[in-house]
Each structure stands twice: as structure tokens, then as C-alpha cells.
Amino acid sequence: ALFASFFPTQIAGPIKRYQDFMPQLSNDKKFDVSMIEQGLGLIIFGLFKKVLFADNLAVVVQSAFSRPDLLGGVDLWLCVYAFAFQIYFDFSGYTDIARGSAQLLGYNVPPNFNLPYLASSITEFWHRWHISLSTWLRDYLFIPLGGSRGGKLLTYRNLMITMVLGGLWHGAALHFVVWGAYQGLFLMAHKEFKHLTDAVPTLAALKAGKLFRVLSVVLTFHVVCIGWVFFRADNFQIAASIISKLLFLDGFPAAGHSLSVALSLVNTPDPLIFMILPFILLLLVAGQILSGALQSASKPIVVPFGLKAVYIAVLLSLLLVFSPDTSPQFIYFQF
């Protein structure tokens, strides 16, 4: 009963495993200052990502996806980028709040994100994005279906079924099914590409280079972004029309199509945010370091308590100043 009703992770994860959670019940719960410090830090950092980034980006995203007919391909690309970071900051912010809340109670919940937009392939992306869901799909769908034990065709079948069901889990609608199938197709394409590079020494050498890594990260990010259109759009028809514009299948946009037209329909974010954006991004990187995402396991960075306190105070000040008038619910609450 406690496992099922553990409130920090009950609504939107991270998905916890019984076998990982229950051993923590046998540990004597004692007041631990470090757990309190880490928990509060995660909660405030999660709010920082949700309110300053996700909620302000939501203004742009909502205006674009509600009237995509007003925009051309270039403007829509900017809006798709905005949604990519909105959903990341929204969901990873929620995860930080959930993990921090659990730590206040003396429980450790594993990280659910590991800088997913730095992935160099769609396979690596799913190792970094919503880790608890991707491992759950692997262990409870892909492997029971047969995994990769039955040859290439059966492996690809199992992979596609897993991803389509993963899409269907998000909602019983065609655009979610297409989103899952889209992910499955690119996962299969990456496996084929990996087989090719392993078989051709020249390609293997090229793949090992830093330039290839950078180009792979950029390409993977854009593949993911196109997939997010199916995820975010209200239905498949709207998603298809947006993607046709993103790929300029309808031609290049006319001069009258402008992002400012759509943004004029709603209240835009506080312009001061854009003026201090480099400082805010620096705080975001610092938060990733403090939370361990950018730290080296061999040489962890030890941050003095006083510096942490100053950092938290700055985050709270920014939250008070730049919180939007309304804060939409977390995206994954609907799932």
C-alpha cells in the first residue's frame, strides 16, 4: 500500500520499482541534514526549470500550436524548438521536485533524465529521456515479447510494438500512435546504421571522430523535435500540416507569415528575461552541476554550503520576479 501511494512519484513518476523501493523501508529513518539540503535544493531547482523556462516557453508554444496556419516554416521551427525545451524543463523540473520531496522523507528516487538533448543517436536519447519509462518498456514489453533473441525481423517487430504501445500509453489518439511508430522507425534505422558502420572500417573511423559526434547530436535533436510535433499537436491532421511546413513541402513562407502575428494573440513573456538570459542559462548549468548531472564520478565537485545558499537565494529571487501570471499544470499530469 505504501509503495502504491508514495505521493512524490504517484502522479507522473519517476516510475519506481518495488524491488528497489522496498529495501529502503528496512532502513531506520533518522534526521539527515544532507538529505534535507539536497531535497530542498532539488525542489527549488525543479521550480526554477518549471517556472522560468517551461512556463514562459509555454506562451510561445501555445500561440503557435493553436494557430499554426499563421506561421511559416522558419517560425514553426522556432516554436518546435521552444516546445522541445518546454517539455524537457517541465518534466525534468517535476522530476526534480518529486525526487527532492522523496529525499525530505528519507527516500532516494533515481534520476529520470540525463541531458537527453546531448544524445548522439535516437537509441542514446531513450537511454537519457524518461529513463524510468524507457527501462520499464524494455523490461515489461520488449523483453517479454522476445527482445532481440529471435533475429533481426523479430527484434524490429518487438521494438515497433513496444514503441507503438508506448505512444498509445500517452493517449488513445492517432497522433500518439504515430509518435510511437516514428520513434520505432528511427530506432530501427539507427540499428541498421550501426550494423553498417561496424562492417565498414572507413565509416567506423569516421564515426569515432569528434565532428561526427557533433553532427550526430544536431541531427538527433532535430529528429526528436519533429517527433515532438506529433506529441504536442491536438490531432494528426494538425501535426501533418505543421511537419509539411517544417520540411517546406508547401514552399517557403510568404513575407506576411511572422511569429509576431501569433504572439500578438497572447501575452508575451517578460522581455527582461531575454536581456538576462545568459545569466539564467549560467544558473541552469550551475544547477546541473550541483545536482550531479555534469559532475565527474571520479572527481566530484565539492561546493561549499555558503555558495549553495547564495545560489538558492538567487533562484528564489528570480522565481519571485519572473513567475508568469498563470502557471499551467505539468505536461505529464495528463498522462
Side-chain angles (χ1 to χ4, degrees), residues 4 38 41 67 103 105 111 122 149 154 191 193 195 218 225 234 269-270 285 319 321:
Q38 293 169 11
R67 293 298 305 274
Q103 284 196 333
L105 301 174
I122 195 69
R149 299 187 298 271
L154 287 178
K191 286 184 177 295
F193 178 73
H195 293 323
V218 173
C225 282
D234 292 333
D270 191 329
V285 174
L319 284 171
V321 174

Coordinates of all heavy atoms in Angstrom, one line a residue, residues 4 38 41 67 103 105 111 122 149 154 191 193 195 218 225 234 269-270 285 319 321:
A4 N 2.4 1.9 -3.5 CA 1.4 2.4 -4.5 C 1.0 3.8 -4.2 O 0.7 4.6 -5.1 CB 0.2 1.5 -4.5
Q38 N 19.9 18.5 0.2 CA 19.8 18.0 -1.2 C 18.3 18.1 -1.7 O 18.0 18.5 -2.8 CB 20.3 16.6 -1.3 CG 21.8 16.5 -1.1 CD 22.3 15.1 -1.0 OE1 21.5 14.1 -1.3 NE2 23.5 14.9 -0.5
G41 N 17.2 21.6 -2.3 CA 17.9 22.1 -3.5 C 17.3 21.6 -4.7 O 17.1 22.4 -5.7
R67 N -2.6 28.2 -33.6 CA -2.8 28.8 -34.9 C -1.6 28.6 -35.8 O -1.0 29.6 -36.2 CB -3.1 30.3 -34.7 CG -4.4 30.7 -34.1 CD -5.6 30.2 -34.8 NE -5.6 30.6 -36.2 CZ -6.2 31.8 -36.6 NH1 -6.7 32.6 -35.7 NH2 -6.2 32.1 -37.9
Q103 N 13.4 12.8 -0.9 CA 14.6 12.9 0.0 C 14.2 13.6 1.3 O 14.8 13.2 2.3 CB 15.7 13.7 -0.7 CG 16.4 12.9 -1.8 CD 17.7 13.6 -2.2 OE1 17.9 14.8 -2.1 NE2 18.6 12.8 -2.7
L105 N 11.7 13.0 2.9 CA 11.1 11.9 3.7 C 12.1 10.8 4.0 O 11.8 9.7 4.6 CB 9.9 11.3 3.0 CG 8.8 12.3 2.7 CD1 7.7 11.7 1.9 CD2 8.2 12.9 4.0
P111 N 17.5 9.3 -10.7 CA 17.3 10.4 -11.7 C 16.5 9.8 -12.9 O 16.6 8.6 -13.2 CB 18.7 10.8 -12.2 CG 19.6 10.3 -11.0 CD 18.9 9.1 -10.4
I122 N 19.2 8.3 -31.6 CA 17.8 8.1 -31.0 C 17.9 7.0 -29.9 O 17.1 7.1 -28.9 CB 16.8 7.8 -32.1 CG1 15.4 8.0 -31.5 CG2 17.0 6.4 -32.7 CD1 15.0 9.5 -31.3
R149 N 16.2 -11.8 -29.3 CA 16.6 -13.2 -29.3 C 16.2 -13.9 -30.5 O 16.7 -15.0 -30.8 CB 16.1 -13.9 -28.1 CG 16.6 -13.3 -26.7 CD 16.2 -14.2 -25.6 NE 14.7 -14.3 -25.4 CZ 14.0 -13.5 -24.7 NH1 14.6 -12.4 -24.1 NH2 12.7 -13.6 -24.6
L154 N 12.3 -10.2 -36.1 CA 11.5 -10.3 -34.9 C 11.9 -9.3 -33.9 O 11.1 -8.7 -33.1 CB 11.7 -11.7 -34.2 CG 11.0 -12.9 -35.0 CD1 11.3 -14.2 -34.3 CD2 9.5 -12.6 -35.0
K191 N 19.8 1.1 -35.7 CA 20.4 -0.2 -35.6 C 21.0 -0.6 -36.9 O 22.1 -1.2 -36.9 CB 19.4 -1.2 -35.1 CG 19.0 -1.1 -33.6 CD 18.0 -2.2 -33.2 CE 17.7 -2.1 -31.7 NZ 18.9 -2.4 -30.9
F193 N 22.1 1.4 -39.2 CA 23.3 2.3 -39.4 C 24.5 1.7 -38.6 O 25.6 1.7 -39.1 CB 23.0 3.7 -39.1 CG 24.1 4.6 -39.2 CD1 24.6 5.0 -40.5 CD2 24.8 5.1 -38.1 CE1 25.7 5.9 -40.6 CE2 25.9 6.0 -38.2 CZ 26.3 6.4 -39.5
H195 N 25.0 -1.4 -37.7 CA 25.5 -2.6 -38.4 C 26.4 -2.2 -39.5 O 27.4 -2.8 -39.8 CB 24.3 -3.4 -38.9 CG 23.5 -4.0 -37.8 ND1 24.0 -4.5 -36.6 CD2 22.1 -4.3 -37.7 CE1 23.1 -5.0 -35.8 NE2 21.9 -4.9 -36.4
V218 N 23.3 17.1 -33.3 CA 22.4 18.1 -34.0 C 21.3 17.3 -34.8 O 20.1 17.7 -34.7 CB 23.2 19.0 -35.0 CG1 22.3 19.8 -35.8 CG2 24.2 19.8 -34.2
C225 N 12.8 16.6 -32.4 CA 11.9 17.7 -32.5 C 10.8 17.5 -33.4 O 9.6 17.8 -33.1 CB 12.7 19.0 -32.9 SG 13.7 19.7 -31.7
D234 N -2.8 18.8 -31.4 CA -4.1 18.3 -30.9 C -4.6 17.1 -31.6 O -5.4 16.3 -31.1 CB -5.1 19.4 -31.0 CG -4.8 20.6 -30.0 OD1 -4.2 20.3 -29.0 OD2 -5.2 21.7 -30.3
P269 N 6.2 36.7 -22.9 CA 6.9 36.6 -21.6 C 7.6 38.0 -21.4 O 7.7 38.8 -22.3 CB 8.0 35.6 -21.9 CG 7.4 34.8 -23.0 CD 6.6 35.7 -23.9
D270 N 7.9 38.2 -20.1 CA 8.6 39.5 -19.7 C 9.9 39.7 -20.6 O 10.7 38.8 -20.6 CB 9.0 39.4 -18.2 CG 9.4 40.7 -17.7 OD1 10.0 41.5 -18.5 OD2 9.2 41.0 -16.5
V285 N 23.2 25.8 -15.8 CA 24.4 24.9 -15.8 C 24.9 24.7 -14.4 O 25.2 23.5 -14.1 CB 25.5 25.5 -16.7 CG1 26.7 24.7 -16.6 CG2 25.0 25.6 -18.1
L319 N 12.5 33.5 -9.2 CA 11.2 32.9 -9.3 C 10.1 34.0 -8.9 O 9.1 34.0 -9.5 CB 11.1 31.7 -8.3 CG 11.8 30.5 -8.8 CD1 11.8 29.4 -7.7 CD2 11.0 29.9 -10.0
V321 N 10.4 37.2 -9.2 CA 10.3 38.3 -10.2 C 9.7 37.9 -11.5 O 8.9 38.6 -12.1 CB 11.7 38.9 -10.4 CG1 11.7 40.0 -11.6 CG2 12.3 39.5 -9.2

